[in-house]
Amino acid sequence: MTTDLNSSLPSEGINKGAEGTGGLGLIEEQVIEFKQSLRLVSGRALTGFRLAFETYGQLNAEKSNAVLICHALNASHHVAGQRKDKPEELGWWDNMVGPGKPVDTNVFFVIGVNNLGSCFGSTGPTSLNPSTGLPYGGDFPVVTVEDWVHAQAHLADALGIRRFAAVMGGSLGGMQAMQWCISYPSRVAHAVVIASTPRLSAQNIAFNEVARRAIITDPDFCNGHFYGQNKIPKRGLSVARMIGHITYLSDDDMAQKFGRSLRQRQDYGYDFGVDFEIESYLRYQGEKFSSYFDANSYLLITKALDYFDPSQKFNGDLARAFSCVESEFLVVSFSTDWRFPPERSHEIVTALMQNNRRVVYAEIDAPHGHDAFLMDDPKYHGLVRNYFQRVAHELR
Amino acid sequence: MTTDLNSSLPSEGINKGAEGTGGLGLIEEQVIEFKQSLRLVSGRALTGFRLAFETYGQLNAEKSNAVLICHALNASHHVAGQRKDKPEELGWWDNMVGPGKPVDTNVFFVIGVNNLGSCFGSTGPTSLNPSTGLPYGGDFPVVTVEDWVHAQAHLADALGIRRFAAVMGGSLGGMQAMQWCISYPSRVAHAVVIASTPRLSAQNIAFNEVARRAIITDPDFCNGHFYGQNKIPKRGLSVARMIGHITYLSDDDMAQKFGRSLRQRQDYGYDFGVDFEIESYLRYQGEKFSSYFDANSYLLITKALDYFDPSQKFNGDLARAFSCVESEFLVVSFSTDWRFPPERSHEIVTALMQNNRRVVYAEIDAPHGHDAFLMDDPKYHGLVRNYFQRVAHELR
């Protein structure tokens, strides 16, 4: 194995690659400012906010062909193609979205939007807090999936999109697709929920909490106010990322890719340097991540994951939470995903069927664990392609 | 749920409890000094070493009834009963070892021994380095399971025990039992290997590596030389423990014990304090652990785990690694153990059977994950009891 291995696996994240754009051309980032206040679920509010987004394809005259793609933990609005200002960065779901791809931009107008609290252009912890004139840092309000969807609806309004042909996402993105169907039932024709869950398990929350502790207890975190102090809690962020990364890969996939292979050595080092390939890989992932991701954003987004639970208001009854839903659903899970295993998707499907919703469900037999949702497995992509062909038919 | 929950689960560790000693009386710790140098697998050596140990029951005249209990990551030689100097601390396997218990001290002479590199009395990082007169700290040599077994054999020699009726351990303790059968085939009549594995998987190593990174990157770690600086890398050690702890419990067990229950509150806090019971529990476990365990020991013991792989010298062929083994085996796994799942025990059993060894194997259906080996499940304890009755018969 060589250094290349360190960048060979996508991981709920940003694919950097040199592959072709598949005809999307160079993409320009857009930013929209909203002057109105956004009241948050927490009771706090943002006095005005900004959303960064990208679009691919053309909105039709009826404005009926829009597809919203929601991102997961550490991704962004840069879903597909090459950014004009950073052509080396291919969108994180470029294998899924583009001309002739499963979500075909010759047919659909696709929107990628960066969520509030993130660090890629939308209002977040690095933005200026109007009440202090300094970056929010640790004072940025905790945001929820409901808040994100609410903000995304403002973007849809601004673009004149009354109803989405589909709202789609993997993992945390799938939660947003579900929340759209609950918050705005009449505005979503189809929801595509991939490798997701109706709520985190105790084990999921546990992993998030350890990651947060690693960040918060890093002395360079300074209670979230590290921006002005020339500090970055890189150590904590790196450990947090390593923990997350383990949960994105399957045990089998890790065994096959790394096993017990030693890293550029014949024997153990008998010290605490790198012995195994898996150690080198994880350290590299941690380092890389801590060089571009914001620690406050990581905390915020893991909390949004923990808090998501539409059944909470209904004594844990997910079917009641879905009782208002009008959309049709495609739900996809992956056999080796132990972060959000197929059983979690079954809960979604069951609750939808109890409401007589039309649901296509597939469990894809794939070795790549949770990360499988970012891979271009032919069965998986064939399924999504077929589903979107059906969605396209309804446009006529 | 109340605060008591925080101490209700054993976890590869030290049970503190107020239950009775079951008739063992107050136990006195013993320490034995060896003047001779111990050459280590790494090529380094310890010039003399000390082992802390405890014994329960009486060694018979033939010295044939000795059972060696090997400890796992964070336990010690205090296996059973109450320590004379710390009567509040019940041994970590007190439910297994004692008069009338599965490993019956009315029949067997049981030895618990603390391993080299640990922080509970045997020579380790806090011991004085003879070449500097200061504590070893980060300079303590990396030790392996083979080294531990070698040191334990010195103890057996000193006690006049030529051959153990059984060598027994769970998890990392099970690795030591296997290593005994390889290093000293004629000195082990029976090996009892519980919830163990013939080698760590890439995922196992990954979790260990993240834990080590958390410790090593804690600024208070000071390259392992924190003792003289009035510092303790508590933050890193706490995160390391939290990570480990998640892997000891099953997803289902965590779901049942904690689920999404909130901690002494009716609604989310919308901050980064404690929202969920599972967060409170993990923080408590991390804090507690970091108050008594040594960071250098944690690093050393996780490395010993990573390095254990008797098949390595035989191109990964475990059957060849076991070709010298003369012992009979009891191998036990637990259905919900995802750290060392039953498949890992199957590898052990298969390799032993390829060598025509006599093996009893059982997979216990238990909800408690890896920690199940410390619980007193009746099926599990019944099995061990029956096995040791057979071992006892051979003594006559």
Side-chain angles (χ1 to χ4, degrees), chain B residues 104-125:
Chain B
D104 189 347
T105 52
N106 291 325
V107 177
F108 295 104
F109 174 68
V110 178
I111 304 168
V113 57
N114 187 221
N115 285 324
L116 293 174
S118 174
C119 49
F120 296 118
S122 295
T123 300

Side-chain angles (χ1 to χ4, degrees), chain A residues 231-265:
Chain A
K231 289 179 179 170
I232 299 175
K234 279 194 151 197
R235 294 169 294 224
L237 199 51
S238 176
V239 166
R241 174 60 167 176
M242 291 169 81
I243 295 167
H245 208 91
I246 298 173
T247 70
Y248 304 150
L249 305 180
S250 76
D251 189 16
D252 282 354
D253 197 33
M254 248 192 203
Q256 213 203 318
K257 285 212 175 68
F258 304 102
R260 296 181 54 87
S261 300
L262 298 179
R263 172 84 184 158
Q264 296 172 343
R265 60 190 320 144

